[in-house]
Amino acid sequence: MFQVKILGIETSCDETGVAVYDPHGGIVAEGLYSQLDLHARFGGVVPELASRDHIAKLTPMIREVLADGGMELSDLDGIAYTAGPGLVGALMVGGSLATGLAMGLGKPVIPVHHMEAHLLAAMLEDDPPTFPFVALLVSGGHSLLVETRGLGEYAILGETLDDAAGEAFDKVARLLSLPYPGGPPLAALAEHGDPEAFRFPRPMLRKGLNFSFSGLKTAVRLALERSAGNGDTLSEQLRADVAASFQAAAVETLVEKCLRACDETGLDRLVIAGGVGANVQLRKQLKTRGGERGITVHYPRQSLCTDNGAMIALTGWHRRHEAAELPAIFARPRWPLDELRPPPVTAAELN
Ligand code: KG4
Ligand code: ZN
């Protein structure tokens, strides 16, 4: 069977991700290295350190992934890399290596939009969503609701006016002295708490499709300050109650907006993507509330929700006909998703 193998390289932030995808075998091999420990003591990602670490990890990781898949560089049919949005230095590392490799091998190099890759990640699963659908992209840097009619046909329905959903989890986790990134430890702490112990605001819940999370974060900060001011020690139970109540407010907001987006577009398929998509409460509630309304919800497995090379390779495959003709390194730290257009259709595909 004719195979096309695309190497995907992800270096937009603090994860070095490498994978080989082919449309028949799916993910052939993959590798992921998280820089979490490197940035943990700074409470957030330090761009310069991120770039340097990508340089150190990327080449050995590509070697390992190819060896795992029993492949040589010459077996690849193209190389895709994240061209944006992201940290410019980190993007340049992946872009330079991908472009250099592609030039050396005489293979096409395909710049990929990171958010489009998140949006398509669910298609790597056994039960892939079909177009059209509403996508909720919730990561550390973005919160977007996107009406997705086809590849490259993206209309932004709503976005955050201040903090991204993941950023809100990270900031509240910091208030609770939890390590960065805060989403997973906050969700774990919330399991032991009462989600109704505090009634935190649900900003803009009944208004439109935009999000706002900074008021919620402030409400949490004030509640913690009040408890400390009352002389209450921040007991483990109080911290867990705050975490559970915050998570309940954030999840309710995201769920309501998703359901409204489906109502407004008349679509009955919902695709969740991005790091916050790994949140168990969000997944549970969307499944239940969406199910009640006949909405099918697709999630990628947790490791495909967070940054990874496989989603870049998959997107590179979809956009393989847009390979850069004259190798130039594309790095766009800011790159609106709705600037993308459908990929060109080849004569072979029309026949
Ligand atoms: O998509 P991603 O891996 O990287 C970006 O492109 O930003 O998303 C990372 C974000 C972080 O803010 C992290 O705290 C959040 O996703 N996150 C979670 C969970 N796992 C990761 N937030 C809530 N619950 C989780 N289980
Ligand atoms: Zn991401």
Side-chain angles (χ1 to χ4, degrees), residues 15 114 118 139-141 166-167 169-170 181-184 274-276 278-279 305-307:
E15 252 115 24
H114 181 82
H118 271 305
S139 69
E167 198 179 353
F169 272 86
D170 294 339
V276 183
N279 186 276
C305 275
T306 45
D307 290 350

Side-chain angles (χ1 to χ4, degrees), residues 216-301:
L216 171 57
K217 173 198 65 192
T218 305
V220 172
R221 182 171 54 76
L222 293 175
L224 287 170
E225 282 171 8
R226 236 184 342 261
S227 300
N230 290 343
D232 298 351
T233 47
L234 292 185
S235 67
E236 211 39 38
Q237 191 57 51
L238 186 105
R239 293 173 70 244
D241 287 347
V242 168
S245 303
F246 160 77
Q247 180 173 256
V251 165
E252 187 183 338
T253 305
L254 292 172
V255 171
E256 283 298 324
K257 300 281 174 178
C258 285
L259 299 180
R260 184 168 310 141
C262 288
D263 275 354
E264 289 189 7
T265 54
L267 296 176
D268 60 4
R269 237 184 324 274
L270 189 60
V271 172
I272 311 302
V276 183
N279 186 276
V280 173
Q281 278 304 322
L282 177 67
R283 294 163 89 99
K284 233 191 228 166
Q285 290 195 31
L286 273 175
K287 199 115 221 166
T288 316
R289 304 261 329 266
E292 288 163 7
R293 299 193 186 200
I295 296 169
T296 314
V297 189
H298 290 262
Y299 312 93
R301 74 197 80 151

